[in-house]
Amino acid sequence: MAVPARVVANAELTTLVDTSDEWIRSRTGIGQRRLAAPDEYTSVLATAAAQQAIARAGIEPAQIELVILATCTPDRLFPATACTVQANLNLPHAGAFDLVAACSGFVYGLTVGTRMIQSGAHRTVLVIAADLFSHILNWHDRATCVLFGDGAGAVVLQATPEPLGLLSAVLRSAGQHEQHMAIAAGGTRQPLTPELLDAGGHFFTMNGGEVYRHAVRDMTTSSLEAVAAAGLTIDAIDVMIPHQANIRIIDALANRLMVPRERIFVNLERYGNTSAASVPLALCEAAAAGWLNAGSRVLLSAFGGGFTWASAVVRWGIPTTLVP
Ligand code: UT7
């Protein structure tokens, strides 16, 4: 994982918008977030996370045959940021593409990467999730700017004869809700004009209440579907790693799924909502904190713009001795 060095506590945001540490903590569970410096853009954090993942996997970069970068905040609209990462890492044999599924991007990417390996098309796949919401937020909109942080996480996937890795995945979307989390201008539907720029059309906007309601419902149902598709029941799940957007969403999930809170890994307080990076940041910290053992059954679940949502069950396949 890679996060910017700059830590911004809730108190600092009270100088920008009419908010308070108490409001942010009680409504979201967030205490601080990491915000990128101007020279820390998406490909920079994505490359740093990928370098760590490659080193920890003990593989040669030349083995990587595909780079999937899940992001909705690319370096620029075109070309794919995944190609910049491929060049940064000097991967001579890799295809590369961006995958846009907002906060669900890592679970989507993990699924696509796994399926590419299972199809026999690729042997080693690098899946990265990186988002820098600090660049698309309106820092005068208290309804959004207090919620997000920047970060990147990465994993290396390889074929194994053992029953490890992705056991099941449920990917869903509901584009009729596209307006609830969006950047209105800057694409082909509304190309950016000076007027749209003045009106803030290039900023991210969100209808938080609507997102909240759908997130709780859809992460619950897709989690249950993923667990059933893996041939398991919810009590067989050792660790749940949900998208880290709001502690109240995570608590509601715990109640509905009847997963004991002590099995749910949460690092939201320190990073805020890092969009696609949130699940791999939590996965990385859960591994480092000794939550994951060889054979652990891990439930991942995320929800984001689109709407998109995704849940997956993973059988952790790395001996803890390899995880620093
Ligand atoms: O990553 C993609 C998924 N995203 C999410 O999952 C986000 C889901 N949504 C949420 O987490 C919550 O809906 C929010 C945290 C965004 C908002 O929490 P809420 O409990 O739904 O608050 P609200 O929007 O209903 O606002 C309650 C009050 C309002 O004031 P009034 O109308 O009651 O006087 C807001 O104006 O809180 C006010 N408010 C704030 N006050 C202080 C909104 N933002 C702030 C703020 N500081 N930053």
Side-chain angles (χ1 to χ4, degrees), residues 17-20 23-24 27-28 102-103 133 141-148 181 204 206-213 215 219 243-249 273-275 303-305:
V17 287
D18 180 15
T19 191
S20 64
W23 191 96
I24 301 170
R27 295 290 180 125
T28 72
C103 304
F133 263 58
D141 174 16
R142 70 177 184 173
T144 54
C145 76
V146 304
L147 305 174
F148 294 90
M181 265 188 285
F204 169 84
M206 181 172 76
N207 177 349
E210 201 61 30
V211 174
Y212 188 104
R213 208 165 53 78
M219 286 165 79
H243 174 44
Q244 314 275 317
N246 188 318
I247 197 69
R248 292 183 294 141
I249 294 178
N273 180 348
T274 54
S275 184
F303 184 93

